[in-house]
Amino acid sequence: MNIALLTIGDELLNGDLADTNTQTIARILTENGLTPREAGTIGDDEALIVTTLQRLAAAHKAVIVTGGLGPTEDDRTAKAAARAFGRPLSLNDQALQQIRNRFRTMRREMHPANEKQAMLPARSHVIPNPNGTAPGFSLQSDKAELFFLPGVPGEMQAMLEESVLPRLLECFPDRPDLCRRSLTVFGLPEPEVEGRLGAALLPDTVAVAFNVDFPMVRIKLQARGDHSQRHIDRAELQIRKALGDHIVAIDEETLAGNTARFLRRAGLTLALAESCTGGLIAKLLTDQAGASAFLERSVVTYANSAKTACLQVPVQLLEQHGAVSAETALAMAKGVRITAGTDIGLAVTGIAGPDGGTPEKPVGTVLIAMSDATGERVAPYHFPGNREQVRQRTACTALDWLRLTAMSRLGSSDRKD
Ligand code: ATP
Ligand code: MG
C-alpha cells in the first residue's frame, strides 16, 4: 500500500527509547490489509522534518507521523508541517476547545504553554485525542493525506484506531483480504522446523516466515485474496501433521497461558519444587490470572538443607547421588506432592552456570521430574546457552510437561474454548 510512516524524536535515535509506534502502526495497518510501503525515523530537527514531509507526501498517498505535538520547545512537528506545505500556523478553535475540555475533565489548571498545541497549519482537520491533551491533525497536500499523531503510545494508538484507520479504509478500498496466523513451536530448533515444513505440502498461496523468540520458534503464515482464511486453515493442518505437539500456542496465546488453561480445565492441582529456576516456573504460571485454581505452592529449595527440610529429600540420597540427579529430582517431586497434597508434583534441579559444572555434569545439565497418581517420571536434559537461556529452557520444558499431561487428561473437544 502506498502508505509511509514517520516517527519523530531525538530519543528514538540516541538509544534512549525503542520505536514501538512504528511497530504498533504497522501491525494495526497490516491486520487491516494496509501494510505500509516505507517507514523511517528522524530527530527533532525542524528543517529535516520539513524536507522529509515533502518527500514522503510526494511519493505516497497517505503519511502517518507521530511525535512532537507537545507544548514544549522541542515539539516542532506542527510548525514544520505548516512550513512544508506553505500553510501559516493559526489558532485552531476546535483544537483549543478540546485542550480546554481535557484540562476541565482532569480538574487541572491549563498552562498557557498548552495553547501552543492548538496552533495548527491552516485548513487542518483536528483528530480528537481521547487520552491526552495534544490534539492530532490531518491535512491534504497535492498528492497525499498526512496524519499527525502525538508520540505517547497510548494516545497515538487510540487516535489511529478511532480516526485514522477508518479514513485509510475509505482511501484504499481495494484491499485484498489478508489472513495471518502465528504458530508458536517449542522443543525443536529452527532448522528442524524449517526442514519438516519443507517436506509438508503447504498451499503455495500461503507465505511462510520464521522468527526465533527464544526459546520458541514462531511460524508466521500469511495469505491474501479470496479464500485466504481457508488456505491458512489448510496450511495449519499440514503444519500440525508435521510438528504435532511441538505447536504450543496460536496467535496471541502463550505456552504458560495454555498450560494454565489446560490444568484448570482438567481440574488438576499442582505443587512445584524449583531449584535452578528459582521460582521462574511459578512466575510464568502466576502471570496468568486465576492461577490459584490449580497452583497450590511453589517451593524454591536451592540448598540441600532446604530440599531435606521442605521436601523430605533424605540426606543420604543427596550425599550419594548429588543435588543434580534423577534420584533427587524424583524425591523432590514426590516430596512436594505429598506435603502439598496435590494431584501433581513437579520438580526441576540443574546447573545453570556459568560455574558449578563438572565433566560428568556439565553446565546445562537439568533433571525434570513429575509425580502424580499414575506414577512418576524423570528425564535428563543438556541445555545449551548461558545461565538465562538454561533457566528459560528449563522452565518452558517443565511447562510443556504440564501442558501435555493436562491435555492427555482432556478429550480433544475439551482442549478448545
Ligand atoms: P507530549 O505532549 O508528551 O510532548 P508529543 O506528541 O510531543 O507528546 P513526543 O514528545 O515526541 O510526543 O513523545 C512523548 C513521549 O512519547 C516520549 O517521551 C516517549 O516516551 C513516547 N514516544 C514518542 N515517540 C515514540 C515512539 N515512536 N515509540 C514509542 N514511544 C514514543
Ligand atoms: Mg513532546
Side-chain angles (χ1 to χ4, degrees):
M1 289 293 157
N2 217 347
I3 300 174
L5 311 183
L6 178 65
T7 49
I8 300 177
D10 286 345
E11 70 275 30
L12 299 168
L13 292 172
N14 63 17
D16 280 349
L17 187 75
D19 176 9
T20 58
N21 284 354
T22 296
Q23 188 188 12
T24 304
I25 300 172
R27 177 178 53 76
I28 292 171
L29 294 193
T30 299
E31 281 165 5
N32 287 278
L34 293 167
T35 303
R37 184 183 275 173
E38 180 178 342
T41 300
I42 54 175
D44 300 306
D45 170 339
E46 193 178 314
L48 184 61
I49 301 174
V50 171
T51 53
T52 308
L53 289 177
Q54 288 170 334
R55 179 176 65 77
L56 293 176
H60 299 275
K61 210 171 143 187
V63 182
I64 303 174
V65 183
T66 81
L69 298 187
T72 55
E73 198 280 321
D74 62 350
D75 294 315
R76 302 178 182 136
T77 304
K79 201 165 156 208
R83 266 179 62 193
F85 303 105
R87 318 255 180 109
L89 272 183
S90 61
L91 190 72
N92 184 303
D93 289 334
Q94 195 190 340
L96 185 61
Q97 200 52 46
Q98 245 181 61
I99 299 167
R100 287 204 173 119
N101 288 344
R102 178 80 196 164
F103 275 93
R104 201 167 305 130
T105 52
M106 290 190 301
R107 294 176 194 283
R108 271 177 44 199
E109 193 79 18
M110 180 171 145
H111 192 278
N114 286 97
E115 260 198 33
K116 177 191 154 206
Q117 293 178 292
M119 295 295 289
L120 303 184
R123 287 177 285 126
S124 302
H125 296 283
V126 174
I127 301 177
N129 180 349
N131 299 332
T133 54
F137 60 93
S138 67
L139 59 84
Q140 181 73 47
S141 73
D142 289 346
K143 283 194 178 154
E145 189 160 353
L146 296 99
F147 302 89
F148 296 86
L149 304 175
V152 184
E155 299 179 25
M156 181 286 294
Q157 185 170 342
M159 295 162 79
L160 179 82
E161 289 178 324
E162 286 173 25
S163 303
V164 180
L165 184 60
R167 177 74 192 127
L168 292 177
L169 294 174
E170 267 172 34
C171 294
F172 297 93
D174 305 325
R175 298 176 312 281
D177 268 354
L178 176 76
C179 185
R180 302 198 323 151
R181 196 163 299 163
S182 152
L183 312 183
T184 303
V185 179
F186 178 66
L188 290 175
E190 194 188 8
E192 170 78 17
V193 174
E194 241 181 311
R196 290 201 196 184
L197 290 208
L201 294 170
L202 301 186
D204 53 15
T205 45
V206 176
V208 183
F210 299 90
N211 69 270
V212 176
D213 181 8
F214 184 89
M216 312 286 170
V217 175
R218 290 242 155 74
I219 306 173
K220 306 266 181 149
L221 305 177
Q222 182 165 311
R224 289 177 189 277
D226 293 345
H227 313 301
S228 53
Q229 169 99 25
R230 209 183 316 144
H231 293 170
I232 294 272
D233 287 344
R234 185 135 37 93
E236 183 184 331
L237 199 69
Q238 294 301 107
I239 294 173
R240 282 189 180 281
K241 278 189 201 154
L243 303 181
D245 279 333
H246 288 291
I247 298 174
V248 297
I250 304 286
D251 289 336
E252 304 301 311
E253 295 170 359
T254 60
L255 170 61
N258 280 347
T259 303
R261 194 154 59 91
F262 291 145
L263 283 168
R264 281 181 73 156
R265 200 160 302 166
L268 291 168
T269 55
L270 170 68
L272 299 166
E274 302 193 49
S275 187
C276 60
T277 45
L280 179 59
I281 306 170
K283 190 266 176 204
L284 292 168
L285 284 174
T286 54
D287 282 343
Q288 316 301 318
S292 58
F294 60 87
L295 183 64
E296 200 276 344
R297 74 184 66 180
S298 175
V299 194
V300 178
T301 50
Y302 221 58
N304 284 0
S305 55
K307 294 179 177 72
T308 301
C310 305
L311 306 171
Q312 276 85 55
V313 180
V315 174
Q316 203 194 346
L317 184 145
L318 282 162
E319 278 171 4
Q320 196 180 341
H321 300 283
V324 180
S325 63
E327 289 79 1
T328 297
L330 272 176
M332 289 168 69
K334 273 192 285 189
V336 80
R337 177 174 167 241
I338 290 163
T339 47
T342 49
D343 299 317
I344 301 174
L346 182 135
V348 298
T349 175
I351 304 161
D355 307 318
T358 63
E360 307 84 65
K361 292 177 187 174
V363 167
T365 303
V366 172
L367 281 300
I368 301 182
M370 198 163 94
S371 160
D372 67 14
T374 63
E376 58 195 38
R377 59 186 273 233
V378 61
Y381 292 91
H382 295 280
F383 293 130
N386 61 26
R387 182 177 176 83
E388 185 49 30
Q389 289 172 322
V390 170
R391 282 152 57 95
Q392 279 288 341
R393 261 196 227 275
T394 304
C396 290
T397 306
L399 289 176
D400 207 38
W401 278 39
L402 294 169
R403 182 184 72 93
L404 293 169
T405 301
M407 271 170 67
S408 70
R409 303 283 174 92
L410 295 166
S412 57
S413 59
D414 287 339
R415 294 176 199 171
K416 305 219 168 66
D417 278 323

